[in-house]
Amino acid sequence: MGAEPPNRSIILLFLLSSLLPMASCSDFSISIFEVTSRSFYVQWSKVPGAMSYKISASPDILTGEPAFSVFDATTIIGSVNTLLPNTNYQVTVEAMNEYGAVLAQAQTSHFTAPEVPSIDQTYSKLSGSITVEWTDVPGATSYQVTAQDGESFFQTIVSSSPGTVTGLQGATTYTIRVRSINSAGKSQPSLPKMAKTVLGSVSVTVDSPASDAIIVSWQPVSAAVLYSVSLMRSDGLGNRWNENTTSTSINFTSLDPGTVYTIKLNAWDDQGIPGDDITFIHLTRPAAPSDVQMTFSNGGSDAIFSVIGADATTNYTVHLFTGNTSMNCSTVSASCTVYSLECGLEYAVYVEAINEAGSSLSSKSWNLKSVPCAPSAITVAIEEAGNLSVSWTTENLSEYYVVFVKSDDGLEVHCNTSQTHCYFPADCGFIYSMSVFAYNKAGQSPPGEVFTYTTAPCCPSDFSAEYKSSDTLEIVWSPVRGAELYETKADDGNNVILCNDTATLCTLSGLQCNTLFNVTVYSLSEYRGSNTSCASKYMKTAPCSPEITNITNINETTFTVYWNANNNDALYTVTAKGEDGFWDCTSANTYCSLGDLPCGSLYMVSVVAESIEGTSLPSYSMPLETAPCCPANLSVLQVTQSVTNISWSLSKGAKTYNSVLVSPKGEAKCHTLQNHCLLGCITCGTSYSVSIEAISETGLTSVCNYHGYSSSECCPFGVKLLYSSSNNGIRVSWRASSGPGNYSASLHGSKGNFTCTPSSNLSYCDVTEIPCGDVYTVVVSPITAGESQTLFCPKKMYSVACSGNSLGTVIYRGKRSIS
């Protein structure tokens, strides 16, 4: 039968699919996942519709053959094998559909790893490593050497053969492999080779139990059948000891003390192969000290120990023992110092030589006595005036004592004694510092208690009183040595007053005046108290204040002051102080007169008493007022016939004034605050005596009399103005009120003023050549002694008519009031 023709539909689909466009390279990617000497492992991304993937590898060299492999649609990592080592290949991955058409492809270039190495040999020289040798392969830049024991895996990377794997366990068999490496990756592992590590090193303990011996001991090593130990001086001198043993310790004796030895130890397996060796050095203990030299320093409180025959490479410790107490010092040289030895003790001294191996103690001890302790229980007493006794207790190991006494002025004295007391001179007010030291061959005892003794302070002897007031004494004195406080005591026989102060003065106040006191100033100090031997002095307070009992006036300017006082030998001064100054008088009695005090003044009068002790406080002041001064000027002016105005100048001290005019016919008075007054009911033509009473605010009165005053004559009445035909003039007539008197008539008109004065005892007068046709004011007034006319008499008005060229009718026109 002939072959069946192919299915037409399948052929058609294949042709159509080949015409479909290939997927974009950017949508399909590949990467080299792993490389070996003869294969690539490639990873790619999936392509939709792909049913298989083909990997092709084509070498760049002509001698190579291409290789490929195909994988199904579910695979994304595949390998291509049978490649040449260390060769560059073009690697292509194609995604194909079910008909074998390529949907997408991607390409990359990559080298294969170098050829697989071949191990030549392996060996172990140390328990922790195996060395491997192989033949280098072309193209390899480095090699990976691995050692595996079960799950334990160790590796190292080297550039060429040989390579050593470290960190291994001793006496252990390992599987060894080698892989070559280039920039593309690693080759497959070489064929394995077995290798075993040698025995590990021994864990050793070395000790030098004595200065001539070293014991070496170690822990057993698994698989070891024998141990070898060698020992020799590190400086190469002397013998070398070699010992083989199956034991785990060995003791070397008869060695040199304080010497460094080198020790080497190996473990051997049953094949006669030595394991790791261990080499170390060790020192034997030093030789025990045989002698020591002891000296003292720092006043015997420190001991210096020097080891005789000391080795410069050895440390030494000196031990001191006494009872339950121990002390020590160490040195890297020949000597050391033990500081601050306890005083008064005997020590047993041992010396220990020490190096890194251990110590060696001296076989014998030495005896050391320390300095004695400082004496205690120091007591100081005043044996007699000016001498101090210092005592103390006996101290162990003491041979003699020295006492130092220093006063606070810097002076120092001392005494040497084998006894337990000394005597020293002492003055008042000093602080003495006392130190007692005990001595023996070791030296001086450490400083003990510094005993301070303060002698009683000195007494103030130059104290005196300064006046302050009658009840106060201020006691002043110079400072004395040793005094921190002063107490002043004043005793009047009935009362005692005390004053304490740190200052060198004390004010005793509230004392009884004019009283004698026994005064003592005591000095005190904190440690010694009061010096009760201080002398006293008698001091008297100033006089007591007088008390004014009365002030009497002798006259207007002189006053006598009286007072009470019980002072002895006192002189009294009375002082009157006022705005005009002050006045005083002095008396040893209880009264005194003040004279020539100005009028119109107020004074405060006080009295003080004086004595050699001082001055009393002033007495309480008593006011003294002098009577007001009289007015210096006075004027009297008659205002009307019955009214007079009297005025005067103001006078000092006067508050009100009383003016008085007195005549046989009566008196006129006026009381006023002003300096003028109108007096009524004055009788005309009468002589008066004039006086002013100046009265102070408190009622003191000065009666001031002045020259007499006469009132003017009485005004006439019945004044008339008539025409006088005898002289063709005007006649003025009147009637005198009493007796004859001198009068004057005045006529005042618009055409002129005219006056006339009658002859004695006449009651009329004539005015000629007076113009007519005018109205005249007419007044007739008495004439006073000074020829002045009184202006207060009544005035009348008349009109004078003309008759031709001559005077005519005179007509009365009425009265005109006085202005």
Side-chain angles (χ1 to χ4, degrees):
M1 291 180 62
E4 292 184 10
N7 190 314
R8 294 179 181 271
S9 61
I10 294 176
I11 296 173
L12 181 62
L13 288 174
F14 175 79
L15 293 174
L16 289 174
S17 64
S18 64
L19 296 176
L20 292 174
M22 204 180 304
S24 172
C25 292
S26 61
D27 296 331
F28 182 57
S29 62
I30 66 173
S31 61
I32 304 301
F33 183 74
E34 186 177 352
V35 178
T36 68
S37 302
R38 299 184 181 279
S39 63
F40 288 127
Y41 288 85
V42 184
Q43 183 177 10
W44 56 84
S45 60
K46 284 192 173 185
V47 175
M51 300 302 292
S52 63
Y53 296 91
K54 178 183 178 182
I55 305 174
S56 301
S58 300
D60 288 345
I61 60 176
L62 298 177
T63 57
E65 294 292 334
F68 71 92
S69 57
V70 179
F71 300 91
D72 61 20
T74 62
T75 304
I76 60 172
I77 296 177
S79 64
V80 57
N81 302 309
T82 67
L83 306 180
L84 297 176
N86 194 37
T87 300
N88 189 40
Y89 281 87
Q90 298 296 322
V91 180
T92 303
V93 178
E94 295 174 319
M96 296 179 294
N97 61 14
E98 57 184 347
Y99 305 108
V102 177
L103 301 178
Q105 72 173 12
Q107 190 178 61
T108 185
S109 176
H110 209 283
F111 267 86
T112 54
E115 183 64 272
V116 178
S118 175
I119 297 175
D120 295 333
Q121 67 170 337
T122 62
Y123 52 87
S124 173
K125 291 185 177 181
L126 297 175
S127 62
S129 66
I130 293 176
T131 300
V132 183
E133 294 181 2
W134 63 89
T135 302
D136 290 336
V137 296
T141 58
S142 60
Y143 297 90
Q144 179 188 51
V145 184
T146 61
Q148 187 171 4
D149 172 27
E151 294 182 358
S152 298
F153 182 86
F154 303 90
Q155 72 171 13
T156 184
I157 304 294
V158 296
S159 61
S160 63
S161 176
T164 301
V165 183
T166 60
L168 308 181
Q169 296 294 322
T172 303
T173 299
Y174 289 89
T175 300
I176 307 300
R177 293 181 177 89
V178 180
R179 300 176 74 178
S180 61
I181 304 172
N182 66 4
S183 60
K186 299 177 183 177
S187 70
Q188 286 88 348
S190 66
L191 294 176
K193 196 163 190 176
M194 308 305 292
K196 185 179 182 180
T197 54
V198 299
L199 295 175
S201 61
V202 182
S203 177
V204 180
T205 301
V206 182
D207 181 42
S208 176
S211 61
D212 64 346
I214 290 178
I215 296 177
V216 182
S217 58
W218 56 89
Q219 296 294 325
V221 177
S222 177
V225 297
L226 184 68
Y227 301 94
S228 61
V229 183
S230 66
L231 177 144
M232 65 176 295
R233 286 178 59 128
S234 297
D235 57 7
L237 301 177
N239 298 325
R240 178 188 180 103
W241 285 268
N242 293 300
E243 298 288 342
N244 292 325
T245 181
T246 57
S247 177
T248 57
S249 67
I250 190 169
N251 184 14
F252 295 95
T253 59
S254 301
L255 305 181
D256 297 327
T259 303
V260 179
Y261 285 87
T262 300
I263 303 166
K264 182 178 180 181
L265 177 62
N266 289 90
W268 297 73
D269 61 13
D270 56 0
Q271 300 296 319
I273 300 175
D276 295 340
D277 62 29
I278 180 169
T279 301
F280 51 89
I281 62 173
H282 201 274
L283 187 67
T284 54
R285 293 194 182 197
S290 60
D291 198 6
V292 65
Q293 180 182 356
M294 298 178 291
T295 58
F296 289 95
S297 67
N298 194 22
S301 64
D302 302 335
I304 302 174
F305 300 90
S306 300
V307 180
I308 305 301
D311 182 3
T313 62
T314 303
N315 295 333
Y316 295 91
T317 299
V318 180
H319 299 275
L320 282 71
F321 298 95
T322 177
N324 296 324
T325 302
S326 65
M327 305 176 72
N328 64 75
C329 70
S330 298
T331 178
V332 295
S333 60
S335 64
C336 70
T337 303
V338 174
Y339 298 96
S340 304
L341 294 174
E342 290 191 38
C343 58
L345 295 178
E346 292 189 49
Y347 292 90
V349 179
Y350 294 86
V351 182
E352 182 181 17
I354 306 169
N355 63 13
E356 295 177 1
S359 63
S360 299
L361 189 65
S362 60
S363 59
K364 68 174 183 177
S365 65
W366 295 267
N367 188 46
L368 175 70
K369 290 183 180 181
S370 66
V371 295
C373 292
S376 59
I378 299 175
T379 59
V380 180
I382 298 291
E383 294 292 335
E384 58 185 36
N387 283 301
L388 290 177
S389 171
V390 184
S391 303
W392 58 91
T393 58
T394 302
E395 289 299 327
N396 187 32
L397 304 182
S398 297
E399 296 176 4
Y400 66 95
Y401 303 92
V402 178
V403 183
F404 295 92
V405 177
K406 186 175 183 179
S407 58
D408 53 7
D409 62 354
L411 181 65
E412 184 176 66
V413 295
H414 69 277
C415 80
N416 293 355
T417 180
S418 59
Q419 306 297 318
T420 57
H421 57 271
C422 272
Y423 297 95
F424 296 92
D427 290 328
C428 65
F430 276 103
I431 299 175
Y432 292 94
S433 298
M434 305 170 195
S435 300
V436 183
F437 294 91
Y439 291 82
N440 63 10
K441 291 182 178 61
Q444 174 187 291
S445 66
E449 174 187 8
V450 177
F451 191 87
T452 301
Y453 184 85
T454 304
T455 55
C458 299
C459 290
S461 59
D462 61 343
F463 65 92
S464 60
E466 292 187 5
Y467 169 75
K468 292 299 177 183
S469 66
S470 57
D471 65 345
T472 301
L473 286 177
E474 185 176 84
I475 312 301
V476 182
W477 59 91
S478 299
V480 295
R481 191 174 58 242
E484 298 173 347
L485 183 70
Y486 298 94
E487 179 180 76
T488 305
K489 175 182 177 182
D491 187 355
D492 64 356
N494 297 318
N495 299 295
V496 175
I497 298 175
L498 298 175
C499 168
N500 293 328
D501 205 327
T502 56
T504 57
L505 63 87
C506 194
T507 301
L508 300 173
S509 59
L511 305 179
Q512 178 61 43
C513 55
N514 192 45
T515 302
L516 188 65
F517 287 88
N518 185 12
V519 179
T520 309
V521 179
Y522 298 99
S523 56
L524 298 92
S525 68
E526 180 180 358
Y527 295 104
R528 197 50 54 201
S530 173
N531 189 340
T532 58
S533 63
C534 299
S536 62
K537 294 182 182 180
Y538 282 96
M539 297 181 178
K540 188 178 180 181
T541 52
C544 299
S545 298
E547 180 184 359
I548 298 176
T549 57
N550 193 19
I551 299 177
T552 61
N553 60 318
I554 306 303
N555 52 43
E556 290 83 354
T557 61
T558 303
F559 298 83
T560 299
V561 181
Y562 298 89
W563 59 85
N564 288 332
N566 57 353
N567 297 310
N568 300 324
D569 301 324
L571 186 66
Y572 300 89
T573 299
V574 179
T575 302
K577 293 183 180 180
E579 59 186 6
D580 294 326
F582 70 92
W583 283 256
D584 59 13
C585 62
T586 302
S587 173
N589 298 314
T590 58
Y591 61 89
C592 187
S593 295
L594 296 169
D596 299 325
L597 297 180
C599 60
S601 297
L602 179 65
Y603 301 89
M604 299 304 293
V605 180
S606 62
V607 184
V608 295
E610 296 179 79
S611 68
I612 59 174
E613 287 78 21
T615 304
S616 72
L617 293 174
S619 67
Y620 293 118
S621 296
M622 182 175 287
L624 168 61
E625 184 182 7
T626 55
C629 297
C630 290
N633 300 309
L634 182 134
S635 173
V636 182
L637 178 64
Q638 190 162 347
V639 178
T640 67
Q641 187 170 279
S642 62
V643 176
T644 297
N645 181 36
I646 183 169
S647 60
W648 55 90
S649 60
L650 295 175
S651 63
K652 184 179 180 181
K655 180 69 174 179
T656 61
Y657 300 91
N658 197 14
S659 57
V660 182
L661 297 181
V662 180
S663 72
K665 296 181 180 180
E667 66 179 17
K669 290 184 177 182
C670 174
H671 197 185
T672 181
L673 290 169
Q674 309 299 323
N675 63 336
H676 56 83
C677 196
L678 289 176
L679 296 176
C681 302
I682 299 299
T683 303
C684 53
T686 303
S687 295
Y688 288 90
S689 62
V690 180
S691 64
I692 297 293
E693 294 178 354
I695 305 170
S696 71
E697 195 169 0
T698 60
L700 288 180
T701 303
S702 292
V703 179
C704 310
N705 295 313
Y706 297 90
H707 57 78
Y709 162 73
S710 296
S711 62
S712 64
E713 292 294 332
C714 297
C715 291
F717 57 90
V719 175
K720 294 180 179 180
L721 187 64
L722 302 173
Y723 172 72
S724 175
S725 58
S726 59
N727 53 14
N728 194 26
I730 294 299
R731 173 168 291 181
V732 183
S733 64
W734 60 85
R735 292 197 303 276
S737 58
S738 60
N742 295 326
Y743 294 92
S744 174
S746 299
L747 286 79
H748 302 279
S750 60
K751 296 180 178 182
N753 298 323
F754 304 91
T755 60
C756 66
T757 301
S759 300
S760 298
N761 297 324
L762 294 180
S763 57
Y764 64 90
C765 65
D766 295 328
V767 177
T768 60
E769 297 179 359
I770 186 171
C772 62
D774 198 0
V775 176
Y776 292 92
T777 299
V778 181
V779 58
V780 179
S781 302
I783 298 174
T784 62
E787 299 299 326
S788 62
Q789 185 178 11
T790 303
L791 301 178
F792 51 74
C793 289
K795 299 176 181 180
K796 292 184 178 181
M797 297 177 63
Y798 288 88
S799 61
V800 178
C802 293
S803 176
N805 292 328
S806 302
L807 296 175
T809 306
V810 177
I811 302 173
Y812 177 61
R813 300 292 296 269
K815 292 183 178 180
R816 181 181 178 183
S817 62
I818 62 173
S819 58

